Amino acid sequence: MTGVPASAAGGPRTAPAVRQAGLWNIANVLTMLRLVLVPAFVMLLMHDDGTDRAWRAFAWAAFAIAMITDIFDGHLARTYNLVTDFGKIADPIADKAIMGAALICLSVLGDLPWWVTGVILFRELGITLMRFWVIKHGVIPASRGGKIKTLAQGTAVGMYVLVLTGPLATFRWWVMAVAVVLTVATGLDYVRQAVMLRRAGLARERAERAQQAERTARDTGR
């Protein structure tokens, strides 16, 4: 042994091992918390047929915590490289679960028209399926409009969870109207992006096949 590092002696360098994020990291824990909050939220909201103001206030608190964790878990995962396969699957499921549960429960209680619930859920599930439809061609990034839509939905649903009367009840109707308009508008924009992304991907695949066929023809003609 010379005591000289291999890198200094001209030997091969060994690439440093990249630490993979474990399952039990703060981002995934927040996602799991959001999943656990879904049944708790439903029980709180539906207690005594949704007529108890106190229980609905507790339900609002659970919903608010779920919405807040939705903001922080993704930020933490990206900032501190805590992205895992579990997080990629569980995070969108948790998002759709808490929002879907809130909308359906509110419609069951008669506080929210079923058509509103149908429009929002159809959009959310449709866009999720569309992402899988074009995933081999690329990823549709979250847009600013989509983030504003999520904020509007969360605010509107949270206001409907609470027992509001008078001007506040009227105001929440307008907030929900804005959320529905944003839901439809951003959904149509995602459809446009998906179609363009798929067309570009298919065109790229055709070009690659044509180049491959041309190379094969040249090699065969030699």
Side-chain angles (χ1 to χ4, degrees):
M1 294 179 62
T2 63
V4 180
S7 58
R13 295 174 179 267
T14 302
V18 178
R19 183 178 65 85
Q20 296 293 323
L23 174 65
W24 293 100
N25 62 65
I26 184 62
N28 284 348
V29 169
L30 290 177
T31 299
M32 294 176 195
L33 173 62
R34 199 156 72 256
L35 287 169
V36 171
L37 282 172
V38 174
F41 164 78
V42 171
M43 288 187 293
L44 290 169
L45 179 59
M46 301 301 289
H47 178 77
D48 201 15
D49 293 330
T51 59
D52 192 304
R53 287 175 175 267
W55 284 85
R56 290 190 69 144
F58 291 137
W60 177 87
F63 182 80
I65 292 172
M67 290 295 99
I68 292 171
T69 59
D70 180 29
I71 296 173
F72 282 105
D73 62 357
H75 174 73
L76 290 171
R78 292 186 297 270
T79 302
Y80 298 102
N81 193 27
L82 300 176
V83 178
T84 63
D85 291 338
F86 171 81
K88 292 177 183 178
I89 296 173
D91 184 65
I93 291 176
D95 298 343
K96 303 297 184 294
I98 188 66
M99 183 60 68
L103 290 167
I104 291 173
C105 287
L106 288 171
S107 291
V108 169
L109 293 173
D111 295 334
L112 190 66
W114 276 105
W115 71 265
V116 173
T117 295
V119 167
I120 295 177
L121 292 184
F122 178 79
R123 186 269 190 199
E124 299 301 332
L125 294 176
I127 295 304
T128 299
L129 293 175
M130 190 171 299
R131 287 180 183 275
F132 285 111
W133 180 53
V134 299
I135 195 168
K136 73 173 184 176
H137 302 296
V139 177
I140 304 175
S143 65
R144 183 181 298 274
K147 294 177 181 178
I148 296 174
K149 177 270 304 179
T150 300
L151 177 61
Q153 283 183 359
T155 302
V157 170
M159 294 181 74
Y160 270 86
V161 169
L162 291 171
V163 179
L164 301 178
T165 58
L168 285 177
T170 302
F171 179 67
R172 74 179 179 183
W173 185 92
W174 285 105
V175 176
M176 181 59 76
V178 170
V180 171
V181 170
L182 289 173
T183 296
V184 174
T186 56
L188 293 175
D189 183 59
Y190 275 121
V191 171
R192 179 189 62 81
Q193 292 185 60
V195 171
M196 292 178 61
L197 185 62
R198 191 169 191 274
R199 285 178 178 174
L202 292 175
R204 187 167 55 250
E205 290 177 358
R206 286 194 295 268
E208 290 173 354
R209 286 197 297 268
Q211 292 176 358
Q212 180 63 36
E214 184 179 346
R215 285 195 295 269
T216 302
R218 283 202 307 268
D219 293 342
T220 303
R222 288 179 179 176

